[in-house]
Amino acid sequence: MTVETVSSAKSFGGTQGVFRHRSRETGTDMQFGVYLPPQAEAGAPLPVLYYLSGLTCTHANVTDKGGFQRVCAELGLILVAPDTSPRGADVPDDPDYDFGQGAGFYVDATQAPFSTNYRMYSYIRDELPELIEGNFPADRSRRSITGHSMGGHGALTMALRNPDRYRSVSAFAPIVAPSEVPWGEKALGRYLGPDPAAWRQHDTVALIESGARVNEILVDQGTSDNFLDQQLKPERLEAACREAGIPLILRRQSGYDHSYFFISTFMEDHLRWHWERLQA
Amino acid sequence: MTVETVSSAKSFGGTQGVFRHRSRETGTDMQFGVYLPPQAEAGAPLPVLYYLSGLTCTHANVTDKGGFQRVCAELGLILVAPDTSPRGADVPDDPDYDFGQGAGFYVDATQAPFSTNYRMYSYIRDELPELIEGNFPADRSRRSITGHSMGGHGALTMALRNPDRYRSVSAFAPIVAPSEVPWGEKALGRYLGPDPAAWRQHDTVALIESGARVNEILVDQGTSDNFLDQQLKPERLEAACREAGIPLILRRQSGYDHSYFFISTFMEDHLRWHWERLQA
């Protein structure tokens, strides 16, 4: 698998790179960001945190605005930031911001015309880690995952379905019950078809209700987030975790919104939280 | 003077705002960013650091990518990020990125058609501080200034010409001798006219050679900066400061480029450096 360097910049003693490769899953060129901390030069494998982004984002949003490089450099943690969907003139799209390109929802679509390219679940679960571990000093036994909004949904569902693959999972303002909210109903309906039974494998609350488990979950949620009541519904995650006995740290952060000003404020806490669990 | 709030987001316990006002100097609406640290709620006046941005930038680049909010919140430091020029359909522009809108060079233009709107020197020196000190808990006796590239040029020339107005000055990869480099020759020639004698008041090295003084200067410069040899020439600043006896801390940062990955890495050092001098 060939990985092409799109850009590379020194940052906090390490290297913030952007890379491109031809994806077998999506059938398109995909870009992703990788921050290699200074410890990577020694060559010993380092733990990796995957950060899944939200609607409309590419790898660039968290890479430019997330402020993770300083703490990753201190800890010796690699951060990988994938794109949120396949892209290109030949990839089916939609005029709305919340469906199509930039809005892959981390599923493998089953419905035409999306099923050919929209395979973000397999891309994030299998193809990207193979690529990272084959091309960077990444420890294949120490992966964790986090994400924001649609990416928080991606991180939680990925970890719940593959608890052996991730040491820990956290999220910033995640969509936790997509089957029950407008963003999710639209996306899952068109990617997976109209039968909500097919959506349950991509719905955090439904997965927990069906028996999926992780050791614990850390979530930060701003109380001034415009999407809180209609799309995010953290109380649904709270109830599901309580019922299932999953330890959930849900921090309602007073006055914070849905932006990267919120994410960057709490990024350091998430990085250190994952780091502790990646040492175990 | 009316200041309109464009946006406001909680960040590291403080507030990152963007504001708009009608400028008497430029004759246009101008936007700027203000980070108010949590200490601002107590109402006592806080010191202010002005950050002048580089070519093509608005207030948004450093606000989104500079990573200053965490340290400003710790210290109790206000950071003000102005735009780099007047903007609007009626403002004379140029198709090139390095002249016209986004490239005001912090001068008061004397040449038509630019002289009506391009008054960034007076805007930054007089109008903006009046506005900040009239509308925010800003201490009018404790201002410092920094900037990047064209904005480093702005910070250095502003401090050298007005040493009583700024407690300290620093810069990231500044243009130090615009009279001698392509970016500066183009901009100063068109804003100030063809006679290089008129450029000396907007040229850091020329100002120092003519007797202008500040207490000390901190500069970070990446050694992998694409603009280093042709546009930035830190050795010219080094020679002028040596000759004039101005203490210059010029740190050549190995492998860093001209981007915000460079700036954000060293932002904390600059904030703490100014903070010490703002306490005196």
Side-chain angles (χ1 to χ4, degrees):
Chain A
M1 293 182 290
T2 310
V3 173
E4 178 193 350
T5 301
V6 176
S7 67
S8 176
K10 194 165 177 182
S11 171
F12 287 93
T15 307
Q16 179 62 60
V18 177
F19 303 91
R20 183 189 294 125
H21 71 115
R22 189 73 189 171
S23 166
R24 68 166 188 250
E25 293 293 346
T26 69
T28 64
D29 284 354
M30 293 289 287
Q31 293 197 30
F32 58 91
V34 177
Y35 181 70
L36 291 178
Q39 295 86 341
E41 285 184 27
L46 300 175
V48 181
L49 179 63
Y50 290 84
Y51 176 97
L52 306 187
S53 292
L55 288 168
T56 76
C57 291
T58 68
H59 68 279
N61 303 67
V62 70
T63 299
D64 291 347
K65 304 180 184 182
F68 57 80
Q69 290 91 353
R70 177 182 60 88
V71 182
C72 285
E74 178 198 322
L75 298 174
L77 178 62
I78 295 173
L79 191 142
V80 176
D83 204 345
T84 53
S85 77
R87 295 180 190 272
D90 297 335
V91 174
D93 198 8
D94 189 272
D96 294 343
Y97 77 97
D98 58 359
F99 188 78
Q101 296 188 31
F105 268 84
Y106 306 102
V107 303
D108 288 345
T110 58
Q111 307 297 299
F114 305 105
S115 53
T116 305
N117 306 114
Y118 284 80
R119 296 187 50 79
M120 291 300 291
Y121 180 78
S122 293
Y123 177 75
I124 297 295
R125 193 188 76 154
D126 299 321
E127 185 176 8
L128 186 59
E130 283 173 37
L131 204 69
I132 296 297
E133 290 152 16
N135 289 275
F136 301 93
D139 186 342
R140 64 185 66 241
S141 74
R142 291 193 292 163
R143 305 179 194 118
S144 289
I145 193 162
T146 187
H148 171 233
S149 195
M150 176 183 76
H153 147 76
L156 289 166
T157 53
M158 199 66 65
L160 282 160
R161 293 180 62 181
N162 305 280
D164 54 319
R165 292 189 183 229
Y166 301 100
R167 292 276 189 100
S168 49
V169 59
S170 77
F172 301 86
I175 303 169
V176 301
S179 309
E180 307 170 23
V181 304
W183 277 343
E185 288 168 352
K186 176 177 181 179
L188 300 183
R190 294 180 69 186
Y191 289 133
L192 303 177
D195 180 4
W199 306 356
R200 294 184 61 84
Q201 288 291 306
H202 291 284
D203 182 301
T204 294
V205 166
L207 281 165
I208 293 172
E209 288 173 352
S210 300
R213 294 293 180 266
V214 289
N215 292 335
E216 53 188 333
I217 300 172
L218 169 64
V219 169
D220 276 307
Q221 173 63 61
T223 63
S224 297
D225 187 322
N226 283 336
F227 304 110
L228 182 55
D229 293 334
Q230 203 190 359
Q231 306 280 9
L232 303 177
K233 299 185 180 295
E235 66 279 4
R236 295 287 293 116
L237 179 64
E238 209 164 28
C241 285
R242 190 186 310 118
E243 179 72 19
I246 298 176
L248 168 69
I249 303 168
L250 170 59
R251 309 193 303 185
R252 290 180 167 87
Q253 303 287 4
S254 178
Y256 285 89
D257 66 13
H258 200 66
S259 73
Y260 271 91
F261 293 115
F262 156 66
I263 298 169
S264 59
T265 298
F266 300 105
M267 179 62 82
E268 178 166 1
D269 289 356
H270 285 244
L271 297 176
R272 295 190 186 281
W273 190 84
H274 286 290
W275 179 255
E276 283 177 22
R277 283 145 187 86
L278 287 161
Q279 303 313 300
Chain B
M1 293 182 290
T2 310
V3 174
E4 178 193 348
T5 301
V6 176
S7 67
S8 176
K10 194 164 177 181
S11 171
F12 288 93
T15 306
Q16 179 62 58
V18 177
F19 303 91
R20 183 189 295 126
H21 71 116
R22 189 74 189 171
S23 166
R24 69 168 187 249
E25 293 293 348
T26 69
T28 64
D29 283 353
M30 293 289 287
Q31 294 197 30
F32 58 91
V34 177
Y35 180 70
L36 291 178
Q39 295 87 341
E41 285 185 27
L46 300 176
V48 181
L49 179 63
Y50 289 85
Y51 176 98
L52 306 186
S53 291
L55 288 168
T56 77
C57 291
T58 68
H59 68 279
N61 302 68
V62 71
T63 299
D64 291 346
K65 304 180 185 184
F68 57 80
Q69 291 90 353
R70 178 182 60 87
V71 182
C72 285
E74 178 198 320
L75 298 174
L77 178 63
I78 295 174
L79 191 142
V80 176
D83 204 344
T84 53
S85 77
R87 295 180 191 273
D90 298 334
V91 173
D93 198 9
D94 189 272
D96 293 345
Y97 77 98
D98 58 0
F99 188 78
Q101 296 187 33
F105 268 84
Y106 306 102
V107 303
D108 288 345
T110 58
Q111 306 297 300
F114 305 105
S115 53
T116 305
N117 305 113
Y118 285 80
R119 296 187 51 79
M120 291 300 291
Y121 181 77
S122 293
Y123 177 75
I124 297 294
R125 194 187 75 154
D126 299 320
E127 184 176 8
L128 186 59
E130 283 172 37
L131 203 69
I132 296 297
E133 290 152 17
N135 289 274
F136 300 93
D139 186 342
R140 65 185 65 239
S141 74
R142 291 194 292 163
R143 304 179 197 118
S144 290
I145 193 162
T146 187
H148 171 233
S149 196
M150 176 183 76
H153 145 74
L156 289 166
T157 53
M158 199 67 63
L160 282 161
R161 292 180 62 181
N162 305 279
D164 53 320
R165 293 188 182 230
Y166 301 100
R167 293 276 188 100
S168 49
V169 59
S170 76
F172 302 86
I175 304 169
V176 300
S179 308
E180 306 171 24
V181 304
W183 277 342
E185 289 168 353
K186 176 176 180 178
L188 299 183
R190 293 180 68 186
Y191 289 133
L192 303 178
D195 180 4
W199 306 355
R200 294 183 62 83
Q201 287 292 307
H202 292 284
D203 182 301
T204 293
V205 166
L207 281 165
I208 293 172
E209 288 173 354
S210 300
R213 292 293 180 268
V214 290
N215 292 336
E216 52 188 334
I217 300 172
L218 169 64
V219 169
D220 276 306
Q221 173 63 60
T223 63
S224 297
D225 187 323
N226 284 335
F227 304 110
L228 182 54
D229 293 334
Q230 202 190 2
Q231 306 280 8
L232 303 178
K233 299 185 180 294
E235 66 280 3
R236 295 286 293 115
L237 179 65
E238 208 164 30
C241 285
R242 190 185 310 116
E243 179 72 20
I246 299 176
L248 168 69
I249 303 168
L250 170 59
R251 310 193 303 185
R252 290 180 167 87
Q253 303 288 3
S254 177
Y256 286 88
D257 66 14
H258 200 65
S259 73
Y260 271 90
F261 293 115
F262 156 66
I263 298 169
S264 59
T265 298
F266 300 104
M267 179 62 81
E268 179 166 1
D269 289 356
H270 285 245
L271 297 175
R272 293 190 187 282
W273 191 84
H274 286 291
W275 179 255
E276 283 178 22
R277 284 144 186 87
L278 287 162
Q279 303 313 299

mmCIF file of all heavy atoms in Angstrom, chain A residues 219-251:
data_model
loop_
_atom_site.group_PDB
_atom_site.id
_atom_site.type_symbol
_atom_site.label_atom_id
_atom_site.label_comp_id
_atom_site.label_asym_id
_atom_site.label_seq_id
_atom_site.Cartn_x
_atom_site.Cartn_y
_atom_site.Cartn_z
ATOM 1 N N VAL A 219 -17.158 11.292 28.079
ATOM 2 C CA VAL A 219 -17.826 12.201 27.136
ATOM 3 C C VAL A 219 -17.831 13.612 27.715
ATOM 4 O O VAL A 219 -18.193 13.806 28.885
ATOM 5 C CB VAL A 219 -19.283 11.754 26.867
ATOM 6 C CG1 VAL A 219 -20.060 12.839 26.100
ATOM 7 C CG2 VAL A 219 -19.307 10.453 26.078
ATOM 8 N N ASP A 220 -17.435 14.588 26.895
ATOM 9 C CA ASP A 220 -17.657 15.994 27.231
ATOM 10 C C ASP A 220 -18.746 16.541 26.321
ATOM 11 O O ASP A 220 -18.768 16.259 25.112
ATOM 12 C CB ASP A 220 -16.361 16.813 27.056
ATOM 13 C CG ASP A 220 -15.474 16.722 28.285
ATOM 14 O OD1 ASP A 220 -15.977 17.004 29.388
ATOM 15 O OD2 ASP A 220 -14.297 16.360 28.146
ATOM 16 N N GLN A 221 -19.638 17.326 26.932
ATOM 17 C CA GLN A 221 -20.772 17.891 26.190
ATOM 18 C C GLN A 221 -21.008 19.312 26.674
ATOM 19 O O GLN A 221 -21.240 19.537 27.861
ATOM 20 C CB GLN A 221 -22.026 17.046 26.443
ATOM 21 C CG GLN A 221 -23.309 17.640 25.866
ATOM 22 C CD GLN A 221 -23.257 17.755 24.351
ATOM 23 O OE1 GLN A 221 -23.120 16.759 23.654
ATOM 24 N NE2 GLN A 221 -23.340 18.974 23.829
ATOM 25 N N GLY A 222 -20.945 20.286 25.754
ATOM 26 C CA GLY A 222 -21.224 21.675 26.116
ATOM 27 C C GLY A 222 -22.710 21.891 26.346
ATOM 28 O O GLY A 222 -23.543 21.375 25.600
ATOM 29 N N THR A 223 -23.022 22.690 27.364
ATOM 30 C CA THR A 223 -24.454 22.937 27.648
ATOM 31 C C THR A 223 -25.047 23.992 26.718
ATOM 32 O O THR A 223 -26.257 24.120 26.640
ATOM 33 C CB THR A 223 -24.643 23.412 29.101
ATOM 34 O OG1 THR A 223 -23.966 24.663 29.275
ATOM 35 C CG2 THR A 223 -24.110 22.388 30.093
ATOM 36 N N SER A 224 -24.200 24.756 26.001
ATOM 37 C CA SER A 224 -24.709 25.749 25.048
ATOM 38 C C SER A 224 -24.557 25.272 23.605
ATOM 39 O O SER A 224 -24.526 26.076 22.671
ATOM 40 C CB SER A 224 -23.971 27.081 25.236
ATOM 41 O OG SER A 224 -24.212 27.595 26.522
ATOM 42 N N ASP A 225 -24.465 23.984 23.424
ATOM 43 C CA ASP A 225 -24.358 23.362 22.104
ATOM 44 C C ASP A 225 -25.715 23.462 21.409
ATOM 45 O O ASP A 225 -26.721 22.977 21.928
ATOM 46 C CB ASP A 225 -23.945 21.898 22.319
ATOM 47 C CG ASP A 225 -23.620 21.169 21.033
ATOM 48 O OD1 ASP A 225 -24.309 21.407 20.016
ATOM 49 O OD2 ASP A 225 -22.696 20.350 21.067
ATOM 50 N N ASN A 226 -25.719 24.084 20.212
ATOM 51 C CA ASN A 226 -26.985 24.284 19.486
ATOM 52 C C ASN A 226 -27.676 22.987 19.100
ATOM 53 O O ASN A 226 -28.855 22.975 18.780
ATOM 54 C CB ASN A 226 -26.731 25.062 18.188
ATOM 55 C CG ASN A 226 -26.519 26.533 18.439
ATOM 56 O OD1 ASN A 226 -26.981 27.058 19.449
ATOM 57 N ND2 ASN A 226 -25.807 27.189 17.542
ATOM 58 N N PHE A 227 -26.921 21.885 19.074
ATOM 59 C CA PHE A 227 -27.486 20.619 18.609
ATOM 60 C C PHE A 227 -27.877 19.696 19.759
ATOM 61 O O PHE A 227 -28.290 18.561 19.528
ATOM 62 C CB PHE A 227 -26.476 19.921 17.695
ATOM 63 C CG PHE A 227 -26.050 20.767 16.532
ATOM 64 C CD1 PHE A 227 -24.776 21.285 16.451
ATOM 65 C CD2 PHE A 227 -26.947 21.063 15.517
ATOM 66 C CE1 PHE A 227 -24.384 22.081 15.382
ATOM 67 C CE2 PHE A 227 -26.574 21.856 14.440
ATOM 68 C CZ PHE A 227 -25.286 22.368 14.371
ATOM 69 N N LEU A 228 -27.725 20.204 20.974
ATOM 70 C CA LEU A 228 -27.857 19.357 22.156
ATOM 71 C C LEU A 228 -29.202 18.634 22.224
ATOM 72 O O LEU A 228 -29.248 17.396 22.317
ATOM 73 C CB LEU A 228 -27.643 20.228 23.401
ATOM 74 C CG LEU A 228 -27.693 19.560 24.757
ATOM 75 C CD1 LEU A 228 -26.723 18.402 24.837
ATOM 76 C CD2 LEU A 228 -27.359 20.598 25.846
ATOM 77 N N ASP A 229 -30.275 19.375 22.154
ATOM 78 C CA ASP A 229 -31.585 18.767 22.411
ATOM 79 C C ASP A 229 -32.101 17.951 21.240
ATOM 80 O O ASP A 229 -32.678 16.886 21.420
ATOM 81 C CB ASP A 229 -32.604 19.861 22.753
ATOM 82 C CG ASP A 229 -32.279 20.535 24.078
ATOM 83 O OD1 ASP A 229 -31.628 19.888 24.923
ATOM 84 O OD2 ASP A 229 -32.646 21.704 24.252
ATOM 85 N N GLN A 230 -31.859 18.460 20.018
ATOM 86 C CA GLN A 230 -32.481 17.789 18.872
ATOM 87 C C GLN A 230 -31.654 16.632 18.324
ATOM 88 O O GLN A 230 -32.208 15.648 17.822
ATOM 89 C CB GLN A 230 -32.741 18.812 17.748
ATOM 90 C CG GLN A 230 -33.838 18.348 16.796
ATOM 91 C CD GLN A 230 -33.964 19.193 15.539
ATOM 92 O OE1 GLN A 230 -33.231 20.166 15.352
ATOM 93 N NE2 GLN A 230 -34.893 18.806 14.672
ATOM 94 N N GLN A 231 -30.306 16.735 18.407
ATOM 95 C CA GLN A 231 -29.460 15.751 17.706
ATOM 96 C C GLN A 231 -28.582 14.908 18.627
ATOM 97 O O GLN A 231 -28.186 13.809 18.258
ATOM 98 C CB GLN A 231 -28.532 16.491 16.715
ATOM 99 C CG GLN A 231 -29.236 17.416 15.729
ATOM 100 C CD GLN A 231 -29.867 16.704 14.536
ATOM 101 O OE1 GLN A 231 -29.936 15.462 14.490
ATOM 102 N NE2 GLN A 231 -30.341 17.473 13.582
ATOM 103 N N LEU A 232 -28.232 15.411 19.801
ATOM 104 C CA LEU A 232 -27.170 14.766 20.577
ATOM 105 C C LEU A 232 -27.708 13.936 21.740
ATOM 106 O O LEU A 232 -27.274 12.806 21.962
ATOM 107 C CB LEU A 232 -26.173 15.831 21.059
ATOM 108 C CG LEU A 232 -25.557 16.658 19.909
ATOM 109 C CD1 LEU A 232 -24.635 17.734 20.456
ATOM 110 C CD2 LEU A 232 -24.804 15.769 18.912
ATOM 111 N N LYS A 233 -28.592 14.490 22.533
ATOM 112 C CA LYS A 233 -29.327 13.730 23.549
ATOM 113 C C LYS A 233 -28.425 12.874 24.457
ATOM 114 O O LYS A 233 -28.594 11.645 24.545
ATOM 115 C CB LYS A 233 -30.366 12.813 22.871
ATOM 116 C CG LYS A 233 -31.425 13.564 22.064
ATOM 117 C CD LYS A 233 -32.486 12.620 21.526
ATOM 118 C CE LYS A 233 -33.549 13.336 20.721
ATOM 119 N NZ LYS A 233 -34.367 14.272 21.514
ATOM 120 N N PRO A 234 -27.509 13.498 25.154
ATOM 121 C CA PRO A 234 -26.613 12.708 26.018
ATOM 122 C C PRO A 234 -27.362 11.939 27.105
ATOM 123 O O PRO A 234 -26.835 10.935 27.611
ATOM 124 C CB PRO A 234 -25.677 13.770 26.619
ATOM 125 C CG PRO A 234 -26.404 15.067 26.465
ATOM 126 C CD PRO A 234 -27.208 14.943 25.210
ATOM 127 N N GLU A 235 -28.549 12.376 27.449
ATOM 128 C CA GLU A 235 -29.326 11.657 28.476
ATOM 129 C C GLU A 235 -29.685 10.250 28.009
ATOM 130 O O GLU A 235 -29.867 9.353 28.833
ATOM 131 C CB GLU A 235 -30.591 12.461 28.848
ATOM 132 C CG GLU A 235 -31.636 12.610 27.742
ATOM 133 C CD GLU A 235 -31.313 13.711 26.724
ATOM 134 O OE1 GLU A 235 -30.225 14.330 26.824
ATOM 135 O OE2 GLU A 235 -32.168 13.926 25.828
ATOM 136 N N ARG A 236 -29.749 10.034 26.708
ATOM 137 C CA ARG A 236 -30.014 8.686 26.190
ATOM 138 C C ARG A 236 -28.810 7.771 26.443
ATOM 139 O O ARG A 236 -28.969 6.594 26.779
ATOM 140 C CB ARG A 236 -30.338 8.735 24.689
ATOM 141 C CG ARG A 236 -31.603 9.468 24.337
ATOM 142 C CD ARG A 236 -32.863 8.671 24.711
ATOM 143 N NE ARG A 236 -33.009 7.463 23.911
ATOM 144 C CZ ARG A 236 -32.965 6.224 24.395
ATOM 145 N NH1 ARG A 236 -32.764 6.007 25.685
ATOM 146 N NH2 ARG A 236 -33.120 5.192 23.590
ATOM 147 N N LEU A 237 -27.601 8.328 26.285
ATOM 148 C CA LEU A 237 -26.395 7.542 26.589
ATOM 149 C C LEU A 237 -26.295 7.280 28.088
ATOM 150 O O LEU A 237 -25.943 6.178 28.522
ATOM 151 C CB LEU A 237 -25.148 8.300 26.112
ATOM 152 C CG LEU A 237 -23.809 7.593 26.386
ATOM 153 C CD1 LEU A 237 -23.704 6.281 25.612
ATOM 154 C CD2 LEU A 237 -22.630 8.515 26.040
ATOM 155 N N GLU A 238 -26.612 8.290 28.857
ATOM 156 C CA GLU A 238 -26.559 8.176 30.319
ATOM 157 C C GLU A 238 -27.481 7.044 30.796
ATOM 158 O O GLU A 238 -27.077 6.200 31.613
ATOM 159 C CB GLU A 238 -27.027 9.512 30.910
ATOM 160 C CG GLU A 238 -26.437 9.852 32.232
ATOM 161 C CD GLU A 238 -26.649 11.338 32.549
ATOM 162 O OE1 GLU A 238 -27.645 11.938 32.068
ATOM 163 O OE2 GLU A 238 -25.817 11.900 33.268
ATOM 164 N N ALA A 239 -28.689 7.012 30.254
ATOM 165 C CA ALA A 239 -29.653 5.985 30.679
ATOM 166 C C ALA A 239 -29.188 4.597 30.238
ATOM 167 O O ALA A 239 -29.246 3.628 31.018
ATOM 168 C CB ALA A 239 -31.037 6.299 30.089
ATOM 169 N N ALA A 240 -28.697 4.500 29.008
ATOM 170 C CA ALA A 240 -28.263 3.185 28.501
ATOM 171 C C ALA A 240 -27.078 2.655 29.301
ATOM 172 O O ALA A 240 -27.017 1.459 29.630
ATOM 173 C CB ALA A 240 -27.915 3.288 27.014
ATOM 174 N N CYS A 241 -26.134 3.521 29.618
ATOM 175 C CA CYS A 241 -24.949 3.088 30.381
ATOM 176 C C CYS A 241 -25.343 2.703 31.809
ATOM 177 O O CYS A 241 -24.802 1.734 32.362
ATOM 178 C CB CYS A 241 -23.886 4.185 30.398
ATOM 179 S SG CYS A 241 -22.998 4.344 28.828
ATOM 180 N N ARG A 242 -26.235 3.463 32.378
ATOM 181 C CA ARG A 242 -26.677 3.144 33.736
ATOM 182 C C ARG A 242 -27.314 1.752 33.760
ATOM 183 O O ARG A 242 -26.973 0.900 34.583
ATOM 184 C CB ARG A 242 -27.666 4.209 34.239
ATOM 185 C CG ARG A 242 -27.983 4.084 35.721
ATOM 186 C CD ARG A 242 -29.069 5.066 36.170
ATOM 187 N NE ARG A 242 -28.796 6.438 35.741
ATOM 188 C CZ ARG A 242 -29.588 7.133 34.914
ATOM 189 N NH1 ARG A 242 -30.692 6.600 34.420
ATOM 190 N NH2 ARG A 242 -29.281 8.365 34.605
ATOM 191 N N GLU A 243 -28.206 1.541 32.806
ATOM 192 C CA GLU A 243 -28.910 0.256 32.720
ATOM 193 C C GLU A 243 -27.931 -0.903 32.491
ATOM 194 O O GLU A 243 -28.080 -1.975 33.075
ATOM 195 C CB GLU A 243 -29.917 0.338 31.556
ATOM 196 C CG GLU A 243 -30.737 -0.906 31.299
ATOM 197 C CD GLU A 243 -31.784 -1.138 32.376
ATOM 198 O OE1 GLU A 243 -32.131 -0.178 33.117
ATOM 199 O OE2 GLU A 243 -32.259 -2.291 32.493
ATOM 200 N N ALA A 244 -26.917 -0.647 31.673
ATOM 201 C CA ALA A 244 -25.979 -1.718 31.307
ATOM 202 C C ALA A 244 -24.826 -1.859 32.296
ATOM 203 O O ALA A 244 -24.038 -2.806 32.197
ATOM 204 C CB ALA A 244 -25.416 -1.434 29.902
ATOM 205 N N GLY A 245 -24.692 -0.902 33.194
ATOM 206 C CA GLY A 245 -23.572 -0.956 34.127
ATOM 207 C C GLY A 245 -22.236 -0.558 33.511
ATOM 208 O O GLY A 245 -21.178 -0.970 33.989
ATOM 209 N N ILE A 246 -22.266 0.246 32.435
ATOM 210 C CA ILE A 246 -21.023 0.751 31.834
ATOM 211 C C ILE A 246 -20.652 2.057 32.535
ATOM 212 O O ILE A 246 -21.440 2.996 32.540
ATOM 213 C CB ILE A 246 -21.203 1.017 30.320
ATOM 214 C CG1 ILE A 246 -21.555 -0.276 29.584
ATOM 215 C CG2 ILE A 246 -19.933 1.651 29.741
ATOM 216 C CD1 ILE A 246 -21.842 -0.080 28.100
ATOM 217 N N PRO A 247 -19.465 2.125 33.132
ATOM 218 C CA PRO A 247 -19.059 3.391 33.762
ATOM 219 C C PRO A 247 -18.935 4.503 32.717
ATOM 220 O O PRO A 247 -18.153 4.387 31.775
ATOM 221 C CB PRO A 247 -17.690 3.065 34.380
ATOM 222 C CG PRO A 247 -17.648 1.570 34.476
ATOM 223 C CD PRO A 247 -18.459 1.069 33.318
ATOM 224 N N LEU A 248 -19.741 5.533 32.892
ATOM 225 C CA LEU A 248 -19.735 6.678 31.974
ATOM 226 C C LEU A 248 -19.364 7.928 32.752
ATOM 227 O O LEU A 248 -20.019 8.239 33.751
ATOM 228 C CB LEU A 248 -21.130 6.852 31.355
ATOM 229 C CG LEU A 248 -21.365 8.178 30.607
ATOM 230 C CD1 LEU A 248 -20.540 8.240 29.326
ATOM 231 C CD2 LEU A 248 -22.857 8.360 30.281
ATOM 232 N N ILE A 249 -18.324 8.606 32.285
ATOM 233 C CA ILE A 249 -18.025 9.941 32.801
ATOM 234 C C ILE A 249 -18.589 10.913 31.783
ATOM 235 O O ILE A 249 -18.018 11.094 30.699
ATOM 236 C CB ILE A 249 -16.505 10.162 32.958
ATOM 237 C CG1 ILE A 249 -15.902 9.093 33.864
ATOM 238 C CG2 ILE A 249 -16.228 11.561 33.515
ATOM 239 C CD1 ILE A 249 -14.368 9.075 33.825
ATOM 240 N N LEU A 250 -19.750 11.499 32.102
ATOM 241 C CA LEU A 250 -20.383 12.465 31.204
ATOM 242 C C LEU A 250 -20.263 13.831 31.860
ATOM 243 O O LEU A 250 -20.880 14.080 32.891
ATOM 244 C CB LEU A 250 -21.856 12.102 30.984
ATOM 245 C CG LEU A 250 -22.709 13.153 30.258
ATOM 246 C CD1 LEU A 250 -22.163 13.484 28.882
ATOM 247 C CD2 LEU A 250 -24.162 12.687 30.161
ATOM 248 N N ARG A 251 -19.444 14.679 31.260
ATOM 249 C CA ARG A 251 -19.210 15.995 31.852
ATOM 250 C C ARG A 251 -19.973 17.040 31.058
ATOM 251 O O ARG A 251 -19.660 17.281 29.881
ATOM 252 C CB ARG A 251 -17.709 16.305 31.848
ATOM 253 C CG ARG A 251 -16.891 15.168 32.454
ATOM 254 C CD ARG A 251 -15.470 15.552 32.751
ATOM 255 N NE ARG A 251 -14.736 16.053 31.594
ATOM 256 C CZ ARG A 251 -13.431 16.360 31.633
ATOM 257 N NH1 ARG A 251 -12.741 16.226 32.762
ATOM 258 N NH2 ARG A 251 -12.829 16.787 30.545
#
